[in-house]
Amino acid sequence: MTKRMSGVSLPEGRHRLDPARPVRHGLVMLGITMCWLVLAASVASGQIADQIVLFGKNAAGFEGIGRFDRKLTSLGFTQTEASAAGKGYLSQWSGASLDAQGRYWVPFDQLNDTKVLRMAADGSLILPSVNLQYNPARCAVSQSGTVYVLTRIPLSSAGPLYALAADGSVLWSNFAGPSLFDFYPQEMVISPSGHIYMGDRKTIDPLSPVGLLVEVSATTGDILGQGTFSKPAGSSQFGATVSTLAMSPYGTLWFAIGSYLTEIDPTTYQILLQTDMNGAGFNGQTRQFRTDALGNVWTVSAYTPAGDWGGDVLCFSGSTAQLASTYKLAAGAIYGLALGPSGEDLFAVGVQQVPPFPRRLVRLNLVTGVKSTQPLASFDSYGSEWAIPNDDPTGFIWANVTDQGGDADGDGATNREEALAGSNPFDAASRPEGPKVYVSFLPTTNALALTWVDPDGLLDPQGGLDLSTLSVTIGSYGNVFWLLAPFATALDLSPDGKQATLTYGALPLPLDKKWQVEATVVDLTGATASDWQVTPPGDL
């Protein structure tokens, strides 16, 4: 039997020693200790190439784009306005989209400016921005490299849909699709086959408003099809608007209509699945759906003053639309969420529900359920302006949906193959057949547990682990892997030899030490893996 989450296979039915008590028999302890002492030899190197962008302000009050890696380390801040008092606002709703060259396309300001910013992967704005006649509201990049921009006339109505070439030149503009909506379409996605869909509301009858979904041509912007959707009976949330559009990797479309999570076939506009989310999907600060490699839908819980304040992340099954799992990420509201490049991590910005309501960047490992957080207060007062934007701030949508057949890192595996395997499509050293390592902590004692996975088999002579590279660093202590061997109390081995978990149950960890733990490994083909977490409760 195989248990799957977020594109990762975790074999079940493994043999294990009893983790509830220390191993007392000397021969067993000696066997475990000697085995893992032989494996420990040197420190592995190689940090997974990854990046997530946030919108916010620095300490001087300037709007900008912050870049972070999966260890929540700041990679830099790109200032996007000339002065704190100047015009120009980075809207979380407008988003940021990644293209094949690793460039970010960012609609700069829905109300004051008409620019689409182009930021290089290193955060530099060396690429000229694109000036339009209307204010950019949303942006999406196609597999062909064409960039589509929804625009608006501030406080008025819809502007045209623009198509931009990779060099920023305008290919065409068309009012046809956007003009069908009441105000302006606030949602746009591109399917794996390159079809463009936009959604929002259309009031045919003021007493019976409906949500509207429109498909337009990728080459002209002309209307190719449209469907209308009424708010389901019994729904009391969000009105009749096709909101929170998200494309599944299988080509179906997910959105919210009222309080109902809805999946449709976009070629026929027929509803495939629909379920009441009981208010989830919008918490007053975030309205986002994120689909993972298996087509599951991730979103936020509802804002409930007497409950969780919208601080939970929820996963709805892509096969049934029913709630599958819930994770508490913040004491207060969540300000944006996104899946990391491999799809095995989920990032969010959460607020603490105590004055002065500071915000923190959160990373949740979806395989282990372990989370770590980093305060954003070093940028502005309490990090109060920071959020994860819409669209594709990590590149996962590009790999999982937009450019499934591409090979972004040139390692021979397609982007979609990497998404399904939970490897990083932007790092040539992270491959579907390569190893994985995961850091977790036991309940109550917080003792460390390490899990290694290799599809080739952990000890396969061609593709298995390079045992000399097993490494664990804790804080500033360097590689302590070999020092931990006497504290091992359980060794779980899967029957197929592809997974092992070593538990250090004889070494309980004190709370709130804020030690950063990183495990790394390399296999015999040179493929690398690493995981990083902060000791419980996980807050730096």
Side-chain angles (χ1 to χ4, degrees), residues 8 26 37 72 76 97 132 142 217 235 283 343 415 442 450 498:
V8 179
L37 276 174
L72 311 183
S97 293
L132 306 177
S142 71
S217 167
S235 173
N283 63 4
N415 296 333
L442 297 186
L450 300 174
K498 296 182 179 181

Side-chain angles (χ1 to χ4, degrees), residues 251-516:
T252 61
L253 256 178
W254 291 92
F255 57 82
I257 181 77
S259 62
Y260 276 68
L261 175 65
T262 304
E263 183 188 28
I264 70 161
D265 178 346
T267 63
T268 63
Y269 302 98
Q270 295 299 306
I271 293 176
L272 304 175
L273 291 171
Q274 194 168 55
T275 188
D276 193 340
M277 297 183 290
N278 297 312
F282 183 54
N283 63 4
Q285 305 299 332
T286 296
R287 182 183 280 120
Q288 290 171 337
F289 286 163
R290 304 291 191 180
T291 57
D292 64 22
L294 300 181
N296 302 316
V297 180
W298 295 81
T299 189
V300 296
S301 59
Y303 174 84
T304 53
D308 64 17
W309 303 88
D312 291 351
V313 166
L314 312 177
C315 177
F316 289 87
S317 167
S319 58
T320 66
Q322 299 301 305
L323 181 63
S325 55
T326 301
Y327 296 92
K328 168 65 69 177
L329 291 195
I334 290 172
Y335 288 74
L337 73 154
L339 292 166
S342 71
E344 289 195 348
D345 299 323
L346 184 141
F347 295 88
V349 171
V351 65
Q352 294 176 264
Q353 202 57 38
V354 292
F357 306 106
R359 296 188 194 180
R360 304 181 73 92
L361 177 59
V362 183
R363 170 183 171 252
L364 171 70
N365 187 305
L366 298 177
V367 177
T368 63
V370 180
K371 72 173 183 179
S372 297
T373 78
Q374 165 83 307
L376 291 165
S378 59
F379 293 93
D380 70 281
S381 297
Y382 318 118
S384 58
E385 299 292 337
W386 286 85
I388 295 177
N390 281 335
D391 298 330
D392 193 12
T394 65
F396 182 73
I397 295 175
W398 175 266
N400 189 46
V401 176
T402 308
D403 189 26
Q404 295 181 340
D407 182 7
D409 56 9
D411 62 1
T414 67
N415 296 333
R416 176 67 176 149
E417 287 171 340
E418 299 225 36
L420 284 167
S423 56
N424 190 331
F426 305 106
D427 181 4
S430 173
R431 300 191 286 271
E433 74 280 7
K436 299 285 184 63
V437 61
Y438 303 103
V439 175
S440 57
F441 305 96
L442 297 186
T444 308
T445 66
N446 304 316
L448 177 66
L450 300 174
T451 298
W452 294 267
V453 179
D454 195 314
D456 299 316
L458 297 173
L459 300 179
D460 181 82
Q462 279 78 44
L465 302 184
D466 180 349
L467 302 181
S468 69
T469 68
L470 288 163
S471 171
V472 179
T473 61
I474 299 180
S476 60
Y477 295 104
N479 182 15
V480 297
F481 184 81
W482 65 274
L483 294 173
L484 296 178
F487 303 99
T489 56
L491 175 62
D492 299 350
L493 297 172
S494 64
D496 59 8
K498 296 182 179 181
Q499 177 171 311
T501 297
L502 186 63
T503 301
Y504 299 97
L507 183 64
L509 297 176
L511 277 174
D512 209 24
K513 282 295 184 181
K514 302 183 186 295
W515 287 333
Q516 298 184 48

